[in-house]
Amino acid sequence: MADTKNTLTNAAGIPVPSNEVSRSAGKYGPLLLDDYTLLEKMAHFNRERIPERVVHAVGSGAYGTFTVTDDITSLTKAKLFAEVGKETEVFVRFSNVAKSKGGSDIYRDLRGFAIKFYTEEGNWDLTGNNTPIFFMRDPMKFMDFIRSQKEHPQENWRQDERWWDFWSLVPESLHQVLWLMGDRGAPMGWRHMNGYGSHTFSFINAEDQRIWVKFHFKTNQGNKFFTEEQWMKLQGIEPRWATKDLYNAIDEGNYPSWTMHIQTMTDEQAKDFPWNPFDLTKVWPHGDFPLQRVGRLELNRNPEDYFAEVEQAAFSPGNIVPGVSWSPDRMLQARIMSYADAHRYRLGVNYETLPVNAPHATTANTGYRDGLMQSDSSKGSRNNFHPTHHDYPQVAPGAAEPAHPVEGLADRIELDEDDHADQARMFYQMLSEDEKGRLVKNIAGSLGKCMDIIQKHQLALFRQADPELADRVSKAIGQVKPPQPDPKPAST
Ligand code: NDP
């Protein structure tokens, strides 16, 4: 048999006679319709783009290892935490939130920090951010929030006024707005930022006891950031600064790592907590709920193919393993459905059979059959319905969660505790004078572009957090001129 290893073929494996010249009727005649080589090449190219993520479209990722450093087996029965020293393969995707694919990755925005743990009990996806909080606590507002961050529907560019318009009318966003406008809102790439599970989750131990838990991944590279002037300039020169920084560090063997910590809260503590412990706009103060070290996350292998492994990577908070579970956090509840739904639209119903998304340390054994791009024929003649007297996989009653009580009337009940200023104040007052100065300047440079009514509303919210903050921002608006491109292009 001829050696075809180096022979270019079409998708059917047929040798391609030319990759540069089309078939035509003579030298000056039209092309021939039977040039299937050209037709297939064009047709494939026309279909090479898939729907981009509606959020977190810009990103990069890498494989690595999670290693347990501290025993938490009294808290969770999840096997990935079963013993100190245990290693689990991971895939992590970092991202920006608002810009569309092709946008820069170092502008001011939240960052996604999504981790897929390939455990022996299936994949656990922790779809975190680089911030422990978020702009809202009810998912009904999320879609509007994202639109405020995206391009204007007619003018088609992103506009500061749109996000301040939204924030100024959504008081619970105040804490996250300060966080975003501060130093951590423009991290120096993916390696120099923390990751947080953000939501409240729960751990379940071998005795079926549940404890509320929050996840923190602290960067071992140190938290670093770009000033407003730095990232604005740099994104023109190197718009994929973060992508390049991560890839090159791993390529050079300079593996980035994070230390995983948890905070835990019992039901009794939850009752005494001054805020709703499931409110995504609030942290659990470190002083009351100290960080407990759990393990080390290291990234040590770049993907071979960006599209196959990073673009098609799909994470879902719905993917939890026995010993880890959700909480009544409203935002988390919505994400359980929404992420998988988005992937089914973007990648098709069998997206979890793609190599980056499939389990690595166990094998999926679903009852699902067929659907677009099904390539798994291993179920063969196995019965395709249940219950049946024929061969079918057994369920695992041991994987069921312990029951937990719920109460109250089914209704649309707002979490209108009017507590939006408390932790915003804590945040502002925790900053050093230098950090406060940069925060005020960053806010003024952006809020200063907005119409008066928006500024007025937002300043009133700042005043509730700390009158000093409101006074300083108010003074700075008008004094700070945002950087402008040179209006006179050079001519020849
Ligand atoms: P502490 O006062 O004990 O510690 C402050 C925390 O803020 C540190 O963990 C630090 O992270 C982080 N931090 C420092 N500078 C910034 C910045 N410019 N932007 C964002 N975070 C920063 O925290 P408390 O728990 O008492 O909460 C006080 C405030 O700290 C809160 O309002 C909250 O916004 C913020 N914070 C709290 C976190 C929590 O989970 N409790 C996590 C992150 C921030 P590090 O030590 O990693 O450098």
Side-chain angles (χ1 to χ4, degrees):
M1 224 166 75
D3 173 21
T4 54
K5 209 169 145 225
N6 247 333
T7 303
L8 183 71
T9 75
N10 72 3
I14 302 162
V16 166
S18 169
N19 200 26
E20 295 180 36
V21 184
S22 313
R23 265 166 64 79
S24 61
K27 190 164 183 184
Y28 299 110
L31 297 188
L32 299 175
L33 193 57
D34 68 2
D35 188 356
Y36 187 67
T37 305
L38 170 67
L39 297 184
E40 185 183 90
K41 189 176 176 182
M42 284 194 304
H44 192 276
F45 180 77
N46 288 345
R47 290 160 179 79
E48 280 176 8
R49 294 293 170 268
I50 59 173
E52 73 168 40
R53 290 169 164 88
V54 67
V55 285
H56 296 268
V58 179
S60 57
Y63 296 93
T65 312
F66 173 72
T67 310
V68 179
T69 55
D70 298 79
D71 184 8
I72 55 163
T73 51
S74 63
L75 301 173
T76 175
K77 62 183 175 189
K79 288 197 177 141
L80 83 150
F81 299 116
E83 57 190 294
V84 171
K86 180 158 182 169
E87 294 187 350
T88 300
E89 186 193 1
V90 297
F91 182 77
V92 175
R93 182 173 181 271
F94 302 107
S95 53
N96 290 42
V97 180
K99 283 198 176 172
S100 301
K101 211 170 149 38
S104 83
D105 61 19
I106 51 168
Y107 66 102
R108 181 169 301 285
D109 193 1
L110 299 196
R111 304 295 194 267
F113 194 121
I115 311 169
K116 192 180 285 294
F117 296 87
Y118 298 101
T119 92
E120 69 215 70
E121 297 174 293
N123 293 345
W124 173 31
D125 293 346
L126 190 57
T127 53
N129 277 338
N130 71 328
T131 149
I133 48 173
F134 200 62
F135 296 93
M136 66 212 49
R137 49 197 172 196
D138 193 308
M140 194 68 104
K141 293 179 181 165
F142 180 81
M143 289 64 74
D144 293 291
F145 163 64
I146 290 300
R147 292 203 182 117
S148 80
Q149 300 283 304
K150 293 265 182 191
E151 292 81 3
H152 184 283
Q154 179 190 20
E155 293 157 2
N156 197 30
W157 65 87
R158 299 180 68 230
Q159 300 172 12
D160 300 54
E161 183 158 295
R162 288 165 51 77
W163 47 81
W164 287 109
D165 187 13
F166 181 87
W167 292 336
S168 65
L169 293 168
V170 178
E172 68 266 32
S173 68
L174 183 58
H175 188 196
Q176 180 69 94
V177 167
L178 292 184
W179 214 101
L180 173 68
M181 299 311 291
D183 290 345
R184 300 270 174 105
M188 197 177 122
W190 318 122
R191 293 187 302 134
H192 294 98
M193 63 182 202
N194 294 343
Y196 302 89
S198 309
H199 301 284
T200 298
F201 292 87
S202 54
F203 269 161
I204 298 161
N205 68 13
E207 279 76 50
D208 262 359
Q209 294 158 329
R210 188 190 297 267
I211 194 160
W212 306 114
V213 61
K214 280 192 185 279
F215 298 102
H216 301 246
F217 293 81
K218 286 202 175 212
T219 172
N220 294 329
Q221 290 67 243
N223 273 295
K224 293 188 185 166
F225 64 95
F226 286 127
T227 63
E228 210 73 344
E229 292 74 16
Q230 284 171 330
W231 70 256
M232 283 186 179
K233 194 168 168 192
L234 199 52
Q235 70 170 355
I237 301 166
E238 188 55 84
R240 290 296 161 83
W241 196 96
T243 299
K244 211 167 153 181
D245 176 66
L246 177 72
Y247 188 95
N248 287 344
I250 295 173
D251 204 41
E252 289 157 12
N254 178 18
Y255 301 141
S257 67
W258 288 260
T259 303
M260 178 181 176
H261 301 264
I262 52 169
Q263 287 177 295
T264 59
M265 184 188 281
T266 62
D267 268 334
E268 290 67 43
Q269 288 173 311
K271 282 181 199 120
D272 291 340
F273 193 58
W275 304 282
N276 178 340
F278 311 117
D279 176 346
L280 186 55
T281 66
K282 306 290 185 303
V283 295
W284 297 355
H286 290 128
D288 302 325
F289 300 90
L291 294 182
Q292 186 179 338
R293 197 183 66 176
V294 175
R296 183 172 186 276
L297 175 77
E298 176 188 274
L299 297 182
N300 47 32
R301 182 160 67 90
N302 278 318
E304 295 293 322
D305 184 302
Y306 180 84
F307 182 87
E309 293 161 276
V310 185
E311 187 62 18
Q312 295 198 115
F315 302 81
S316 167
N319 288 343
I320 46 155
V321 291
V324 181
S325 189
W326 308 294
S327 80
D329 176 334
R330 293 180 179 192
M331 293 293 288
L332 174 59
Q333 298 266 319
R335 292 177 78 203
I336 292 169
M337 175 270 177
S338 179
Y339 275 51
D341 184 48
H343 299 315
R344 287 181 199 111
Y345 164 67
R346 199 169 66 84
L347 303 167
V349 70
N350 289 306
Y351 71 95
E352 283 186 302
T353 63
L354 293 169
V356 68
N357 299 327
H360 288 190
T362 182
T363 312
N365 193 14
T366 70
Y368 314 139
R369 304 294 291 246
D370 310 343
L372 203 66
M373 303 301 281
Q374 178 61 268
S375 60
D376 175 15
S377 55
S378 66
K379 288 166 198 157
S381 63
R382 194 179 85 188
N383 211 18
N384 62 357
F385 63 85
H386 180 263
T388 172
H389 290 100
H390 296 284
D391 183 31
Y392 204 84
Q394 303 298 303
V395 295
E401 289 191 18
H404 62 101
V406 291
E407 59 181 24
L409 299 174
D411 203 351
R412 296 187 188 278
I413 304 165
E414 261 196 80
L415 293 178
D416 55 355
E417 280 106 350
D418 201 21
D419 58 5
H420 52 270
D422 301 352
Q423 293 207 358
R425 182 176 312 113
M426 280 165 51
F427 176 84
Y428 181 68
Q429 294 179 354
M430 175 265 299
L431 300 179
S432 68
E433 185 45 41
D434 276 0
E435 289 173 319
K436 283 182 182 167
R438 286 191 293 272
L439 171 70
V440 167
K441 188 162 164 264
N442 295 342
I443 293 173
S446 178
L447 183 60
K449 297 176 192 166
C450 304
M451 54 201 265
D452 286 351
I453 181 78
I454 294 175
Q455 290 185 13
K456 206 171 130 220
H457 265 119
Q458 191 63 47
L459 285 166
L461 290 176
F462 289 152
R463 189 162 298 284
Q464 290 167 13
D466 192 320
E468 179 202 272
L469 169 66
D471 289 343
R472 288 177 71 166
V473 171
S474 180
K475 197 165 159 226
I477 288 178
Q479 290 177 355
V480 180
K481 290 231 177 323
Q484 297 292 327
D486 186 344
K488 287 181 279 168
S491 55
T492 52

